[in-house]
Structures are given as C-alpha cells and as structure tokens.
Amino acid sequence: MNTATAEPLIRNRLEVPAHPTWPALDDTAKAALRTRIKRLLAERDAVLVAHYYVDGDLQALAEETGGTVADSLEMARFGSQSNAKTLVVCGVRFMGETAKILNPEKRVLMPTLEATCSLDEGCPAEAFSAFCDAHPEHSVVVYANTSAEVKARADWVVTSSIALPIVEHLHARGEKILWAPDKHLGRYVQRMTGAEMLLWDSACVVHEEFKGFALERVRRLHPEAAVLVHPESPQEVVDQADVVGSTTQLIKAVHDLPNRAFIVATDEGIFWKMHQLAPEKTLIAAPTAGEGATCESCAHCPWMAMNALHNLALALERGDREILIEESIRQRAVPPIQRMLDFAREHGIGQPRDGR
Ligand code: 13P
Ligand code: SF4
C-alpha cells in the first residue's frame, strides 16, 4: 500500500477524557426529566437526531418524539427531511457541524459542544491542507469524522456505510485518492478496492483498543457467534470478522443473520438498538483487554458519553450550545457532502433505513 504518514499521531496530542459521571436518576426523576424535555422539544419546534453510541435513554427519547436514531450518513440526511426549526444533535461535534452545513436556516443545538472525536482532533485543518497541497494529483476523500474546515478542503466526504462504493467508483475512474483521517478504515477500503491511496495517520481511540489475539480467545469460547466489526478497528480484528460495516450495517446483521450470538467490536452504546431489534440474541462485547492494552475508552466513546438527559434539557432550555460555522467555510463544505448524499440516493445506499 502506498502510505504517507502525516505526523504526529493523535495520542501524542489528544488527551482522552474520562467518562463523565451523571447524577443517578430514580424512575420518578427520570420520568420528570423526560417530560420536561418532551415539553421543551414541542415549545422550541425541535427534533432529536441521535447516534447509536449515545445513552439508551436518549435513543429512546429520540424515537418517541419523532426524531431519529441513526448512523452518521442517516443523521446527515435526516436534518433536511425534517420540518423542525431546531435540530438537537446527540452525538459528537462533527455530526452537529454536518447538520448545520446542510441546514444553515435551522438552529443546531447539542447537549454539549465539548463532545469531540479523536479522528477530528487528529486531523487539524492547516496540516491537512498542506498534505493536500503536496499531492495535487489526488482526489481528496475525507471521512465524515472531521471538522467543517477539513471537509471544506475535500472533493468527497464519506461515512463508513458508503466509503467502499464511493472509493470503488473513483478507482474505476482512474483516480488516485488522498484519504483522511482514519488509517484503519483507509487501509480496509484500500484492501477491498485496490485503489491507490495515500493515508493520513490517525485513529479512533475507541476502536483501536480492540485486540486481535484476545478476540481469537473469545471466538474459541463462542464458536457459534458471528463476529461483527466496525472498520475503524485494527486490521487483525477486521480480519476475523464475519461482517465488517457501519453501525447500521452491524445492527442489520444482528437482526438478519441466523446466529444466536454475536461478538461485537464497536462502541457498546450500539447494544441498545441491537437488543431492541433482536432481544432474543446474545451480544458479547469484543475484548479490549490484553497485551498492549491501555483501555482508555474501554469500548465506549468518552465524547459520546458526554450526552445525557441532564445536559440535553439544559441545551433546550437555554438555547446555548449552538453550532455556528463561518459562512465561507460552510459553503465550501457543502459540495463534498452533497456529492456523497447524491451518490447514496443514486445507488440506493442506506435508504429506506437500511431495511430496518
Ligand atoms: P457510523 O457512521 O458507522 O455510525 O460511525 C460513526 C462513528 O463515529 C464510529 O466510531
Ligand atoms: Fe470518534 Fe471513535 Fe468516538 Fe466514533 S467512537 S466519535 S470515531 S472517537
């Protein structure tokens, strides 16, 4: 593989926060908070757009109130399909930014603006722009997990559910690709498509913790289980997968495959939806422990964990925590995202709701 390294590695720069702890809620307090949020959503003409990795209480509330629980591609699409004046994005910052880029007329709020992503942080716009300038003959394809500034420099934005067909399409047109920021997803796409790709050197701190040899041991204990892996995971984990895919594709696999048990290598927040769709199936978390393990995130994204009922209520009440993007950057970030959405529509990818 033709690999260029853009230094430095994210771990040198980014401190992974501890998982936040939220005040415990008994049933009565939780019911009161949920009622308050429902009232505020109606008063503010707001709708929830939640990712599968956030707390199950938030996912449930999004579904009950006419919002959505989805992967990054579907979250990007949902905003424009909704008539609500305000989108409240429960997830990480790049998801809120994508919603704002595509829906400038809407107000986009988040429970917290602190919820970032190690991939986004590992790809600063200035260094990335220099990387692009050094390789002008390449088409620039960036993962959705990037800032608005980085997207503004791209030809294409992709999410994990659509990266393969888009790169296949570009490869078939004879294009060479500059890929950022996730080196594991980039390497997976490169191996599957045979495209010539230069890879930025960054990784997801959550998926990078899954360990290949520990997974082998768990597979021996559960030979009947299918192995489901998000492609942000290291190669030795991806190599053991029965299904490699986006969050939506992994959820669909639990529902569709005949196996009674699944070993799941992605953020544990996804179990809420998997249980909901297939309550009779057994879900086993893929191991993050073992040789070389630091377990900083322990299969749960510390930034996704910053979303909770408490700060969602505050965001709605106060109307602060709003995503704002400089207009010139926003305008440049629209075409590469729109290209992805058009490609998805033309090729029937992800709709309607990936068969769920
Ligand atoms: P999906 O697009 O598969 O939902 O992934 C987003 C993400 O951040 C995975 O870590
Ligand atoms: Fe980013 Fe990884 Fe968290 Fe996804 S799980 S938002 S890629 S840090």
Side-chain angles (χ1 to χ4, degrees), residues 11-240:
R11 270 181 203 279
N12 298 336
R13 201 137 30 96
L14 177 69
E15 215 166 288
V16 180
H19 292 102
T21 45
W22 297 102
L25 292 171
D26 62 22
D27 289 350
T28 315
K30 188 185 281 190
L33 195 47
R34 282 164 44 83
T35 304
R36 186 168 132 216
I37 293 169
K38 285 182 179 175
R39 175 179 51 78
L40 286 163
L41 285 168
E43 283 173 9
R44 306 280 194 266
D45 190 10
V47 71
L48 296 176
V49 188
H51 189 264
Y52 294 122
Y53 292 166
V54 298
D55 186 80
D57 286 336
L58 294 173
Q59 297 187 46
L61 203 51
E63 289 191 340
E64 284 167 36
T65 53
T68 192
V69 183
D71 67 10
S72 321
L73 178 65
E74 212 54 54
M75 287 175 84
R77 210 157 19 196
F78 182 81
S80 332
Q81 294 168 351
S82 162
N83 292 325
K85 284 203 185 94
T86 297
L87 304 172
V88 187
V89 176
C90 298
V92 293
R93 200 183 161 94
F94 79 82
M95 295 168 172
E97 288 188 348
T98 301
K100 185 66 185 177
I101 290 165
L102 294 172
N103 303 280
E105 75 292 354
K106 295 187 196 252
R107 179 173 229 200
V108 177
L109 301 176
M110 296 189 71
T112 169
L113 298 178
E114 304 290 304
T116 183
C117 162
S118 65
L119 291 167
D120 183 349
E121 295 293 323
C123 190
E126 215 174 297
F128 176 66
S129 200
F131 188 42
C132 297
D133 289 344
H135 304 284
E137 71 289 359
H138 286 67
S139 300
V140 178
V141 180
V142 301
Y143 196 30
N145 302 37
T146 45
S147 65
E149 289 93 325
V150 166
K151 289 184 175 78
R153 188 66 170 78
D155 299 306
W156 290 80
V157 169
V158 298
T159 71
S160 56
S161 56
I162 200 168
L164 273 180
I166 286 182
V167 171
E168 250 163 29
H169 166 76
L170 299 177
H171 179 45
R173 292 200 317 205
E175 295 182 30
K176 292 189 280 187
I177 288 152
L178 185 154
W179 169 276
D182 187 355
K183 63 180 174 186
H184 295 301
L185 178 58
R187 183 214 54 244
Y188 171 70
V189 170
Q190 199 280 330
R191 287 172 76 205
M192 297 303 287
T193 61
E196 189 176 334
M197 293 171 71
L198 286 172
L199 307 184
W200 184 264
D201 190 357
S202 196
C204 162
V205 295
V206 179
H207 290 86
E208 231 192 4
E209 284 180 351
F210 293 114
K211 299 283 175 277
F213 69 92
L215 177 57
E216 275 171 33
R217 276 204 293 270
V218 175
R219 282 174 56 222
R220 277 198 294 277
L221 290 172
H222 302 278
E224 76 292 0
V227 178
L228 310 181
V229 175
H230 196 282
E232 291 170 9
S233 307
Q235 183 171 334
E236 64 273 19
V237 175
V238 169
D239 284 347
Q240 297 181 52

Side-chain angles (χ1 to χ4, degrees), residues 262-292:
F262 295 85
I263 302 169
V264 183
T266 193
D267 186 290
E268 67 185 23
I270 203 170
F271 287 5
W272 186 84
K273 176 55 80 178
M274 288 176 169
H275 278 307
Q276 187 197 48
L277 289 182
E280 73 289 2
K281 302 214 172 166
T282 303
L283 305 174
I284 302 155
T288 51
E291 201 180 299

